[in-house]
Structures are given as C-alpha cells and as structure tokens.
Amino acid sequence: MIAVIDYGRGNLGSVEKAFRRVGCPAVVTQDPRAVDDAQAVVLPGDGAFHDAMRNLDALGLLPALRRALDGTRPFLGICLGYQLLFSTSEEFGEGRGLDVVPGAVRRLPPGPKIPHMGFYFVHSFYPVVAGSVSTDRTEGGLTQMRVAPEARSDRPEMRVAPEARPLRIAWCQYGIRFAAAIEVGRIYATQFHPEKSQRWGLRMLENFAAIVKDGA
C-alpha cells in the first residue's frame, strides 16, 4: 500500500486515482502510523511552501515523513512535495524545508510567462541544487551529480552522502535551466504533476508502482 500524505494541500484524489489506474492501491491519510506502515510514501502538494511546512508540523506528520525519507522505502514527491525536499525557500520570506537535498527554492526570473505551464508544470518557483560538482551523463538523459562536502545539509541524518547517494537530475529549460526531477537512492521527485500528464505521467507512476511491488 502507498500512503499519500494529506496535509491540506494538493490534488490528492487525482494522485490516488492515478495509482489505482496503474494497478497499485494507495490511501490518502493524515495518520502518521499509516505513513510508517506503508510500503511507499507520496508527498503531493500545491500552494505555498511555508504553509505546507506549518501544516505538516501542526498535523504531527513531520516525524513520520522524515522516517519515510530515510532511504529504506520508495518515496515520491510531486510539485510542492518536490520543493519541500530542499533546504530553504524564498517564497514569502526565507524559510526551512525538509533539507533532504541541499539547495534553495527560488522564484523564476523575469522573462517567459509565469507560472510555467506545460506537461502539467504549474509553478512560479524552482529548486536550485547546491554545490554540485562532477557530472556524468547517465541512461535516459539524466545528469548524475555528487554533492560537494561544503554544500551538505546541516542535519546529518538527512545528508545526501556523496559517496553513497548520487543525485540524478532531469533538466528542463524555461528561460533558465532548472531541475525538473531528481532521484536520490529510493527518493524520487518531480516539479510537474505526473498524475495529470496523461500517458507519459502515468508511465512514470507505473514505474514507481513497479518499484514498490518489487521491493527494490
């Protein structure tokens, strides 16, 4: 069973329905115990970064969410749920995120129309991955990066260890080049909404569901 975390933000019904469509049961929940018991966890979301962090805290979901991000189970962040994985955000003033991946969420610069729309992107902010050093092209056009030591998180238990957890990034161009999706071990996250991106998005969810079923 996949736990879809409900913290009052996001297209929860659409996510649940999409997983059902690809043959993988999912439950929308605010119960930390259900999150702990799930085979995999999904953090969807839209809206404001700091409001989401406050809601997660107020609902008592942060400890279970951090346990879900320890790398032992598949995890999928979607849209705001992706941005929350980074260290900080400047949206409505600087504030802390989950600090899983060192980096900051910044406003898209002036240029193309904002919010960015397409392949079900709907966002005005984007994550800047901090301190990446060596890069190597990998399968599927992803770029593999290792996080420089000086850019590691200040929370040791959430660090992306460069020797053990390479960060793979899929890039998108919209005025600037930004990280549209990441993979860190069993942690996957996308800026766009795969549950609303028709057959390509459903294929992504199907692949995630396969990882969950295989226990990989």
Side-chain angles (χ1 to χ4, degrees):
M1 178 70 72
I2 296 174
V4 180
I5 296 180
D6 176 9
Y7 56 101
R9 299 285 180 184
N11 302 294
L12 305 174
S14 298
V15 174
E16 182 185 26
K17 182 179 179 181
F19 275 113
R20 187 165 62 246
R21 185 173 174 181
V22 299
C24 193
V27 59
V28 175
T29 183
Q30 292 186 343
D31 184 352
R33 293 169 299 181
V35 176
D36 281 334
D37 292 341
Q39 293 173 274
V41 175
V42 177
L43 183 67
D46 52 32
F49 188 101
H50 305 324
D51 285 347
M53 288 298 294
R54 281 192 292 268
N55 287 357
L56 286 165
D57 187 33
L59 291 166
L61 286 164
L62 279 177
L65 177 54
R66 295 195 190 281
R67 288 190 290 272
L69 286 161
D70 65 5
T72 60
R73 293 175 288 168
F75 180 95
L76 177 62
I78 298 173
C79 195
L80 180 59
Y82 166 47
Q83 294 183 359
L84 292 173
L85 299 180
F86 289 83
S87 306
T88 64
S89 173
E90 68 179 14
E91 186 178 8
F92 300 117
E94 198 79 12
R96 298 294 292 180
L98 293 167
D99 206 13
V100 178
V101 179
V105 177
R106 303 299 186 208
R107 180 178 290 276
L108 286 166
K113 184 179 178 180
I114 297 175
H116 173 206
M117 310 284 286
F119 197 71
Y120 229 93
F121 284 102
V122 186
H123 65 113
S124 301
F125 290 78
Y126 71 102
V128 178
V129 182
S132 57
V133 285
S134 62
T135 63
D136 298 291
R137 189 66 60 184
T138 60
E139 293 181 9
L142 294 175
T143 297
Q144 180 169 292
M145 294 186 169
R146 295 190 182 277
V147 177
E150 66 272 14
R152 293 182 196 172
S153 164
D154 59 10
R155 296 183 55 247
E157 72 276 17
M158 302 305 288
R159 285 179 182 165
V160 181
E163 68 281 0
R165 300 174 69 186
L167 173 64
R168 301 177 69 201
I169 302 175
W171 299 97
C172 181
Q173 188 75 30
Y174 190 72
I176 59 168
R177 186 170 179 257
F178 70 91
I182 61 169
E183 174 189 326
V184 189
R186 292 185 174 184
I187 298 171
Y188 311 90
T190 66
Q191 180 61 70
F192 55 89
H193 289 267
E195 77 280 8
K196 293 191 173 184
S197 296
Q198 301 182 18
R199 64 189 182 98
W200 296 113
L202 287 177
R203 177 63 182 272
M204 289 188 62
L205 296 182
E206 189 174 33
N207 291 343
F208 182 78
I211 292 171
V212 176
K213 291 176 181 177
D214 291 344

